[in-house]
């Protein structure tokens, strides 16, 4: 109610300005609004009925948009943005979908018919002819779009919101496909950029009605969720003892045994010289759980051991002989006896170590213990597929060295062996080349700089600022970084497959060479 009274007071003030001669100190923006609403011929009228009419008109036109929510107004950014998916067109397949941007002006600046532009990234092509009201959306490049006012755009005042509705080709049913990376550009009279303000990510409205989730008239496919994906994949797996579900992939053969054995500070890791790297890896992995590092030896002490060895004879996995290169292993844990991992090769031993890590009690990973009791078990396993890969695209969304290492560690835990490292694309060049520094100086950054002489245009929600902490648009790996990643992967028996995408998808390289 208080907000309504404020709006009415402002409207009455404007109506008073219209029905009387405007005072000499009236702000130019207010005069512009008056002329836009009434036209110059009635500025000096004093008829009371017309005054009431203008009051109603101003209420409807100037303040008919909804007011800024308090939660959004608290943001320091001058504009708050909500994106709503309204509906998919199910009359054609694939049809366009209709969505809207609800933009709230939290700042002090009036956004008029010129002098401002709202940039954002969107993974769907916006149909320029579908927009409503007095604005246009321009496709800049790739997934970058620009919303700007037209000459008959009604000024957008502080404390109000404006809705911009448009259609986009194809269908959309997921929040992850929402527009992103918004930023506001303020220009002067000669269209030179004066202010570039990052606005971040929009608030995404709920997507749950049939109008939003139906992609065609006969669409029978439900919107996927983590739960539905889990259930679908569960049906593909063979029936197994639930106790072994924490070892992924499920071993070829597994058998629970009675009793437990203990790992504590007296435990020693026994390994021959050729498995020194694997022994060091296991000692490091257990150190985080025990709070102290286990000793490693190449000779077997009396007791309390974890023995990792290479099989002198062929290892049998479910009755089938496995040899070096098959990456097979056998993990044996008997009550109050040594833990034994035997592999056909160092990679097989490493996979046996991963199964041992997965077999440890889950509570151990929640809180370090000085003793770990492990249930007795026998496991025989070998990979079913030679290529078990993971693809990481750092060209479009850059990841730090530490993030890449974290992914490699997870890959090792799940016994994945191929790392497809996508280093270059249209939106970024991420590997430093000593004789061509522009590849990373220009192609390794994304920002809004007017021209692409300092950085590539924003894409995939990277925003206007190349240095923003939340942006994944900028960054590259030095020669030393890349060697570090290669060594880290090799220690985990993962082959790195670097991809330099040429001659296609080479816009980052081309722009860098243009600058050079």
């Amino acid at each position: 109610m208080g907000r309504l009274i404020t709006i009415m007071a402002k409207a009455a003030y404007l109506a008073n300005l219209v029905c009387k001669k405007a005072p000499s100190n009236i702000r130019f923006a207010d005069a512009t609004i008056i002329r836009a609403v009434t036209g110059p011929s009635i500025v000096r009228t004093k008829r009371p009925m017309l005054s009431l009419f203008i009051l109603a008109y101003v209420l409807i036109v100037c303040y008919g948009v909804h007011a800024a929510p308090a939660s959004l107004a608290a943001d320091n950014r001058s504009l708050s943005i909500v994106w709503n998916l309204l509906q998919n067109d199910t009359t054609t397949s694939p049809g366009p979908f209709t969505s809207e941007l609800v933009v709230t002006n939290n700042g002090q600046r009036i956004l008029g018919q010129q002098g401002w532009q709202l940039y954002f990234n969107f993974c769907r092509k916006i149909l320029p002819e579908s927009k409503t009201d007095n604005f246009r959306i321009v496709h800049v490049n790739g997934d970058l779009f620009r919303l700007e006012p037209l000459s008959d755009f009604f000024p957008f005042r502080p404390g109000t919101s404006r809705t911009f509705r448009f259609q986009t080709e194809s269908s959309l049913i997921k929040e992850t496909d929402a527009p992103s990376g918004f930023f506001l550009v303020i220009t002067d009279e000669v269209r030179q950029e004066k202010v570039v303000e990052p606005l971040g990510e929009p608030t995404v409205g709920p997507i749950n009605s049939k109008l939003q989730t139906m992609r065609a008239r006969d669409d029978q496919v439900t919107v996927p969720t983590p739960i539905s994906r889990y259930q679908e994949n569960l049906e593909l797996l063979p029936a197994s003892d639930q106790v072994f579900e924490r070892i992924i992939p499920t071993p070829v053969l597994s058998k629970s045994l009675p009793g437990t054995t203990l790992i504590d500070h007296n435990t020693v890791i026994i390994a021959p010289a050729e498995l020194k790297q694997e022994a060091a890896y296991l000692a490091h992995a257990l150190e985080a759980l025990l709070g102290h590092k286990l000793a490693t030896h190449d000779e077997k002490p009396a007791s309390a051991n974890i023995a990792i060895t290479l099989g002198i004879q062929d290892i049998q996995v479910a009755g089938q002989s496995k040899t070096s290169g098959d990456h097979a292993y056998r993990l044996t844990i008997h009550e109050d006896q040594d833990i034994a991992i035997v592999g056909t090769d160092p990679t097989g031993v490493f996979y046996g170590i991963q199964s041992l890590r997965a077999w440890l009690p889950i509570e151990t990973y929640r809180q370090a213990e000085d003793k770990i009791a492990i249930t007795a078990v026998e496991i025989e396993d070998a990979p079913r597929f030679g290529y078990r890969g993971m693809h990481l695209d750092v060209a479009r969304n850059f990841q730090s060295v530490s993030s890449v290492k974290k992914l490699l560690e997870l890959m090792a835990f799940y016994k994945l062996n191929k790392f497809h490292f996508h280093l270059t694309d249209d939106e970024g060049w991420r590997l430093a080349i000593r004789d061509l520094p522009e590849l990373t100086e220009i192609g390794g950054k994304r920002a809004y700089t007017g021209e692409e002489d300092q950085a590539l245009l924003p894409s995939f929600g990277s925003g206007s600022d190349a240095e923003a902490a939340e942006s994944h648009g900028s960054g590259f790996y030095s020669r030393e970084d890349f060697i570090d990643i290669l060594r880290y992967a090799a220690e985990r028996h993962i082959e790195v497959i670097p991809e330099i995408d040429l001659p296609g998808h080479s816009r980052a390289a081309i722009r860098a060479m243009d600058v050079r």
Side-chain angles (χ1 to χ4, degrees):
M1 179 60 70
R3 182 65 182 165
L4 178 60
I5 293 172
T6 302
I7 291 174
M8 292 180 67
K10 289 184 177 181
Y13 166 71
L14 289 176
N16 181 62
L17 290 175
V18 172
C19 297
K20 298 180 180 179
K21 185 175 181 179
S24 59
N25 64 345
I26 184 174
R27 289 186 299 173
F28 173 76
D30 287 333
T32 302
I33 293 175
I34 294 166
R35 293 189 184 94
V37 174
T38 65
S41 61
I42 59 172
V43 168
R44 293 182 175 83
T45 182
K46 296 183 180 180
R47 289 175 289 178
M49 289 303 295
L50 181 58
S51 176
L52 290 174
F53 167 78
I54 294 171
L55 173 59
Y57 193 98
V58 171
L59 274 170
I60 294 170
V61 176
C62 293
Y63 297 96
V65 291
H66 51 280
S71 59
L72 294 181
D75 195 333
N76 291 327
R77 291 164 177 164
S78 63
L79 297 182
S80 303
I81 300 167
V82 177
W83 177 76
N84 295 311
L85 170 62
L86 299 181
Q87 70 175 67
N88 290 296
D89 184 357
T90 59
T91 60
T92 59
S93 184
F97 67 89
T98 304
S99 66
E100 65 182 13
L101 296 173
V102 181
V103 183
T104 301
N105 189 346
N106 299 322
Q108 303 300 316
R109 182 184 291 112
I110 296 176
L111 302 180
Q113 291 97 342
Q114 59 183 357
W116 66 275
Q117 298 167 329
L118 181 63
Y119 285 80
F120 59 95
N121 296 116
F122 206 3
C123 63
R124 300 289 195 274
K125 182 180 178 181
I126 295 175
L127 305 176
E129 68 277 8
S130 68
K131 61 90 181 175
T132 59
D133 297 330
N134 308 317
F135 70 96
R136 66 180 176 183
I137 296 180
V138 179
H139 179 217
V140 180
N141 182 74
D143 68 340
L144 182 63
F145 293 88
R146 180 179 72 237
L147 187 153
E148 58 188 15
L150 296 177
S151 59
D152 55 350
F153 182 81
F154 197 80
F156 185 13
R157 295 179 57 82
T160 64
S161 295
R162 188 68 61 86
T163 297
F164 302 94
R165 188 168 295 179
F166 50 86
Q167 286 190 322
T168 313
E169 68 178 15
S170 189
S171 58
L172 189 150
I173 60 172
K174 295 183 180 179
E175 295 180 8
T176 52
D177 291 334
S180 58
F182 285 81
F183 59 94
L184 177 67
V185 175
I186 302 297
T187 59
D188 57 20
E189 292 77 6
V190 293
R191 299 184 70 83
Q192 294 296 313
E193 286 80 8
K194 295 176 62 178
V195 177
V196 179
E197 180 188 355
L199 300 174
E201 303 308 305
T203 299
V204 179
I207 302 177
N208 47 31
S209 72
K210 283 191 174 182
L211 288 175
Q212 296 168 308
T213 59
M214 292 283 286
R215 288 154 289 196
R217 185 179 299 148
D218 56 347
D219 189 357
Q220 301 296 317
V221 181
T222 59
V223 179
T225 65
I227 294 176
S228 69
R229 290 294 195 203
Y230 174 79
Q231 294 297 333
E232 290 170 7
N233 287 315
L234 196 63
E235 296 172 0
L236 302 175
L237 296 174
S240 63
D241 190 341
Q242 287 188 351
V243 73
F244 293 101
E245 287 184 356
R246 65 176 185 258
I247 300 181
I248 300 173
T250 303
V252 173
L253 183 65
S254 51
K255 179 181 178 182
S256 293
L257 300 175
T260 62
T261 195
L262 201 65
I263 298 178
D264 59 19
H265 67 281
N266 294 316
T267 302
V268 177
I269 299 173
I270 310 301
E274 58 266 36
L275 294 177
K276 183 178 179 180
Q277 177 177 291
E278 287 69 31
Y281 177 90
L282 176 58
H284 178 74
L286 292 176
E287 181 181 8
L289 307 180
L290 290 166
H292 58 267
K293 194 169 186 177
L294 300 183
T296 59
H297 292 292
D298 55 6
E299 295 182 1
K300 182 177 181 180
S303 62
N305 304 313
I306 301 176
I308 59 175
T309 58
L310 296 175
I312 299 176
Q313 298 178 342
D314 293 349
I315 292 179
Q316 297 286 320
V317 176
Q320 295 184 351
S321 295
K322 302 293 181 179
T323 60
S324 179
D326 290 330
H327 309 324
Y329 69 90
R330 181 172 61 247
L331 169 62
T332 307
I333 303 175
H334 289 166
E335 183 177 11
D336 297 327
Q337 296 185 27
D338 291 352
I339 297 172
I341 300 174
V342 183
T344 56
D345 42 56
T347 301
V349 169
F350 184 78
Y351 292 159
I353 289 172
Q354 300 306 327
S355 289
L356 173 61
R357 293 178 64 202
W359 188 245
L360 297 175
I362 294 175
E363 293 74 18
T364 304
Y365 288 93
R366 296 192 176 113
Q367 183 175 353
E369 300 282 352
D370 56 0
K371 296 180 181 179
I372 303 175
I374 312 174
T375 305
V377 70
E378 286 183 355
I379 294 174
E380 296 176 0
D381 197 16
R384 297 161 180 77
F385 304 98
Y387 190 110
R388 304 177 306 282
M390 173 68 72
H391 171 254
L392 180 64
D393 182 352
V394 295
R396 295 183 173 94
N397 290 284
F398 182 73
Q399 302 297 324
S400 66
V401 173
S402 61
S403 293
V404 173
K405 286 183 174 180
K406 185 180 294 185
L407 176 61
L408 289 169
E409 188 63 58
L410 288 171
M411 289 177 61
F413 186 75
Y414 294 117
K415 305 182 182 76
L416 301 179
N417 66 341
K418 307 291 183 182
F419 179 48
H420 181 169
F421 204 10
H422 190 81
L423 292 164
T424 73
D425 215 290
D426 292 325
E427 297 83 8
W429 184 286
R430 306 305 184 186
L431 183 60
I433 305 298
R434 185 175 298 162
D435 295 333
L436 297 171
E438 292 84 1
L439 285 172
T440 48
E441 290 174 354
I442 305 300
K445 291 193 298 184
R446 293 206 297 260
Y448 182 79
T449 58
E451 300 293 333
E452 286 184 290
D453 56 350
Q454 302 174 50
L456 302 177
L457 288 169
S459 56
F460 296 105
S462 57
S464 58
D465 184 3
E467 306 301 325
E470 65 273 13
S471 173
H472 291 287
S474 301
F476 65 91
Y477 307 111
S478 67
R479 182 176 184 272
E480 293 72 24
D481 290 336
F482 191 60
I483 291 173
D484 185 27
I485 290 171
L486 292 177
R487 286 175 174 163
Y488 193 87
E491 290 170 359
R492 286 149 183 79
H493 297 267
I494 295 172
E495 178 185 358
V496 177
I497 306 172
E499 181 182 2
I500 306 297
D501 204 341
L502 294 170
H505 292 260
S506 304
R507 189 174 187 277
I510 292 170
R511 293 301 302 133
M513 292 301 97
D514 284 343
V515 172
R516 181 178 175 87

